[in-house]
Amino acid sequence: MLTDLFAGQQYDSTNFFLIAGPCVVESEELLMEVGDKVSTICRNLGIPYIFKASYRKANRTSASSFTGLGDETGLQLLQKTGAAFKVPVTTDIHGHDEAAVAAQFADILQIPAFLCRQTDLLIAAAETGKIVNVKKGQFVSGPSMKFAVEKIVRAGNENVILTERGNTFGYQDLVVDYRNIPWMKEHGVPVVMDCTHSLQQPNQTTGVTGGNPQLIGTIASAAIASGADGLFIETHPNPAVAKSDGANMLRLDLLEGLLQKLVKIRKAVV
């Protein structure tokens, strides 16, 4: 499944894989800057890499929030970035009618956490034949994600990834239950830890989601120690001016040091 996507990359097969990039397609310049930096770091550390950016942000707190540059533009820029750095790309979809379109540009289709039970969406993604990465809902347990996997497999697609991103804890916070990592691995699919969205503080009265990016390293380290196969990290050169999820993204210049540490942890636990 994933090894075919990584065929053109030089990497350590014992390493975790990384899904990383800015939250949303803001501009071609941003995608190229992040893609260049992260692909270089991953190549040097032997980490297989998947570039990530949302071509459209459908789930926003405020109606005035940035949603994207337009679907066609966003998808084309995403594909262009992957081609430039010879890495696979992923983006999220929010409706069943988006699946076939996005599949023309992306190697992996991501299902947002809030939509992990949306049967028509899961089936449409499965029918594209692409790898489907389903984020575990904030309201769902790891064991119950077997039903999402079953829907995709029954639609004829066995290429599934599950991503942990925390559980709702009160109205304005999330907490990570690391038992979900081994529980979801029991479903026979790769399991990823979303190290940035799991630190969100949603439902703020300002209309802008908060976050605790200073704890990204803590979340990532615990995930690797718990057996996660991959990590999901949103990163931006200047999160303070990012057009989406700036409050919980990792500053791009901090990524290399974090990944160096995580590679050491991985070597200690495999």
Side-chain angles (χ1 to χ4, degrees):
M1 179 174 60
L2 288 170
T3 53
D4 291 339
L5 288 186
F6 300 141
Q9 300 184 46
Q10 297 294 321
Y11 64 93
D12 182 345
S13 61
T14 66
N15 247 334
F16 56 88
F17 63 91
L18 178 68
I19 302 173
C23 180
V24 65
V25 176
E26 298 180 17
S27 67
E28 180 175 349
E29 292 73 20
L30 173 66
L31 267 56
M32 290 298 169
E33 178 181 358
V34 174
D36 184 26
K37 179 71 172 179
V38 182
S39 63
T40 299
I41 293 171
C42 287
R43 185 167 57 251
N44 291 340
L45 293 177
I47 299 172
Y49 174 45
I50 300 164
F51 182 85
K52 179 270 166 192
S54 297
Y55 73 94
R56 184 206 304 174
K57 296 298 293 183
N59 177 26
R60 305 309 312 274
T61 302
S62 171
S64 62
S65 297
F66 178 78
T67 59
L69 300 175
D71 291 358
E72 185 174 354
T73 298
L75 286 167
Q76 288 177 345
L77 288 176
L78 181 69
Q79 185 181 56
K80 183 176 182 179
T81 304
F85 303 106
K86 296 180 174 58
V87 298
V89 298
T90 184
T91 194
D92 44 331
I93 58 174
H94 302 84
H96 66 275
D97 55 335
E98 296 178 44
V101 177
Q104 298 176 50
F105 300 87
D107 302 286
I108 300 174
L109 299 180
Q110 179 178 289
I111 308 300
F114 283 120
L115 300 173
C116 69
R117 296 179 60 183
Q118 199 72 17
T119 301
D120 60 346
L121 177 59
L122 293 173
I123 291 175
E127 289 176 344
T128 67
K130 298 289 185 173
I131 296 172
V132 183
N133 177 20
V134 187
K135 286 197 172 184
K136 183 185 72 60
Q138 301 91 323
F139 46 86
V140 179
S141 70
S144 66
M145 286 300 289
K146 70 178 181 180
F147 300 110
V149 175
E150 287 176 357
K151 290 175 183 178
I152 295 168
V153 172
R154 287 182 180 179
N157 189 339
E158 297 186 355
N159 299 319
V160 186
I161 299 171
L162 294 178
T163 293
E164 165 63 24
R165 54 98 74 227
N167 286 81
T168 299
F169 185 70
Y171 289 105
Q172 295 175 320
D173 210 353
L174 299 170
V175 65
V176 176
D177 182 350
Y178 286 95
R179 296 177 299 175
N180 283 321
I181 292 177
W183 279 340
M184 291 197 294
K185 285 171 72 77
E186 290 178 0
H187 303 322
V189 301
V191 173
V192 173
M193 180 72 227
D194 184 336
C195 304
T196 45
H197 289 98
S198 59
L199 290 167
Q200 283 184 329
Q201 293 179 313
N203 305 314
Q204 300 294 314
T205 56
T206 60
V208 178
T209 297
N212 287 296
Q214 71 276 11
L215 295 174
I216 292 172
T218 301
I219 295 291
S221 298
I224 294 299
S226 300
D229 301 292
L231 298 176
F232 178 107
I233 300 176
E234 288 190 339
T235 183
H236 193 285
N238 185 1
V241 301
K243 295 183 178 181
S244 177
D245 281 358
N248 54 267
M249 277 198 280
L250 181 70
R251 208 173 70 222
L252 185 57
D253 63 353
L254 299 177
L255 181 63
E256 185 170 14
L258 173 60
L259 291 178
Q260 289 172 341
K261 173 184 175 182
L262 296 174
V263 166
K264 293 178 181 178
I265 295 173
R266 176 71 171 191
K267 291 183 183 300
V269 298
V270 293

